[in-house]
Amino acid sequence: METLLPNLPENYRAAVFGASGGIGQALVQQLAADPRCAQVWAGSRKGPASGGKTHGFAFDLTDEASVARAAARIGADGPVHLVIIATGVLHGEDFGPERSWRELDAQTMANVLALNTIGPALVAKHMLDLMPRDAAAIFAALSARVGSIGDNRLGGWHSYRASKAALNMLVRNFAIELGRKRKQAICVGLHPGTVDTGLSEPFQRGVPDGKLFTPGYSAQKLLGVLGGLIPQQSGFSYAWDGRCIEW
C-alpha cells in the first residue's frame, strides 16, 4: 500500500472525530489499512466497535465533558500525531440552509454554530495538547469552500457559511499558537468536495458530472493533501485537490 502520510513518524497514532459519517468512516478505514499507523481512534455519538488497530470511543460535540473524557482516554497511550474532525451539519428534519435573511432563526443558527464551530473548537482545546512537541503532527477539521468570504458569489446559506468561516478563523488562530509550542505541527481546514453523503444528498441535483465524490475517494484525496503539507502551510484551508482556498 502507498504511504498515506509520509510527513508523519513511523507508528503514528490517529484520532478521527465523526467516524460514523461517510467521510469519517472512510478515513478510519484507510488509516487502519496504513501499515505505518499504529492506532486509529474512531469517535462518534454511540462509539463504533473496536477491532484490530481501531479503537472506538463515544463523544458528543455539545458536551465538553465527553470530549475531555475521550481526549484523556486517547492520550493515555501516548502522543497523538493526527487528529481529524470529520463532523458537520447543514440540514435536519426541521431546518435547512437559508435562502434569505428572512429565514434566519436564532435557535437554528445557534445549533449550527454549536456543531460546526464550537464543537470542533472544544475538540482542539483537549486534543492539541496531546500532540508531540518534538515530532511532526497534523490537526485538521472538515470545513467547506462556502465558508470562504472572498469566494462567496451567491449569498444565502447564512448559518452554514458563517459557521464554516468562523471555523476557518479558529484554524488560523490554533495554527499560530501551535507553531509557538510545536514547530513541526500543522493545523489546517479541509474542503472534501461534494461527497455523496446524507449532508449533501438534498443538494446534489446541480453537481456537474464527475464532481460528486464517493466518501472513499474524498478521504483518499484528503489524506493525500495532508501527507504533502509542511509546517509553513499551516493555518490555511485546502481543497481535496490540494488548492489553498481563498479566505
Side-chain angles (χ1 to χ4, degrees):
M1 178 180 177
E2 183 180 352
T3 298
L4 291 178
L5 298 154
N7 50 353
L8 291 183
E10 189 77 24
N11 296 319
Y12 69 87
R13 300 178 66 236
V16 177
F17 287 76
S20 63
I23 299 175
Q25 286 184 30
L27 287 167
V28 169
Q29 292 169 359
Q30 293 183 30
L31 289 168
D34 182 4
R36 295 181 65 254
C37 180
Q39 284 184 332
V40 185
W41 289 85
S44 67
R45 276 182 176 271
K46 296 182 179 179
S50 299
K53 66 173 70 172
T54 302
H55 305 266
F57 67 92
F59 79 103
D60 183 339
L61 278 179
T62 63
D63 178 6
E64 183 178 356
S66 74
V67 176
R69 287 193 297 271
R73 183 180 171 195
I74 296 167
D77 288 344
V80 182
H81 305 89
L82 175 66
V83 178
I84 302 178
I85 304 176
T87 59
V89 64
L90 173 58
H91 60 88
E93 292 184 4
D94 55 354
F95 75 95
E98 310 94 345
R99 292 168 293 180
S100 165
W101 61 69
R102 298 180 181 88
E103 298 177 13
L104 284 169
D105 175 78
Q107 189 57 57
T108 296
M109 184 172 241
N111 291 341
V112 172
L113 286 165
L115 293 172
N116 289 349
T117 310
I118 299 171
L122 295 176
V123 173
K125 173 183 176 180
H126 292 281
M127 293 299 297
L128 288 176
D129 280 328
L130 301 182
M131 290 185 160
R133 292 182 177 273
D134 56 354
I138 301 173
F139 180 94
L142 289 194
S143 187
R145 192 181 297 277
V146 297
S148 166
I149 294 173
D151 189 60
N152 185 357
R153 304 288 187 269
L154 298 175
W157 290 34
H158 302 299
S159 297
Y160 187 71
R161 285 185 187 273
S163 68
K164 292 299 187 178
L167 177 62
N168 292 341
M169 178 59 78
L170 288 169
V171 165
R172 181 65 173 173
N173 278 353
F174 297 152
I176 292 171
E177 186 175 354
L178 196 62
R180 299 187 187 119
K181 303 173 182 178
R182 292 163 171 81
K183 302 297 185 183
Q184 299 181 58
I186 297 168
C187 179
V188 294
L190 292 173
H191 169 55
T194 303
V195 184
D196 190 9
T197 64
L199 185 142
S200 69
E201 185 176 2
F203 314 102
Q204 293 177 3
R205 182 176 300 177
V207 178
D209 291 342
K211 292 299 184 180
L212 181 61
F213 303 149
T214 66
Y217 178 80
S218 178
Q220 178 186 15
K221 298 299 286 187
L222 293 178
L223 290 173
V225 171
L226 293 180
L229 294 176
I230 59 175
Q232 289 76 10
Q233 293 173 288
S234 186
F236 299 94
S237 291
Y238 297 89
W240 59 274
D241 58 3
R243 297 181 185 180
C244 188
I245 296 174
E246 182 180 1
W247 279 344

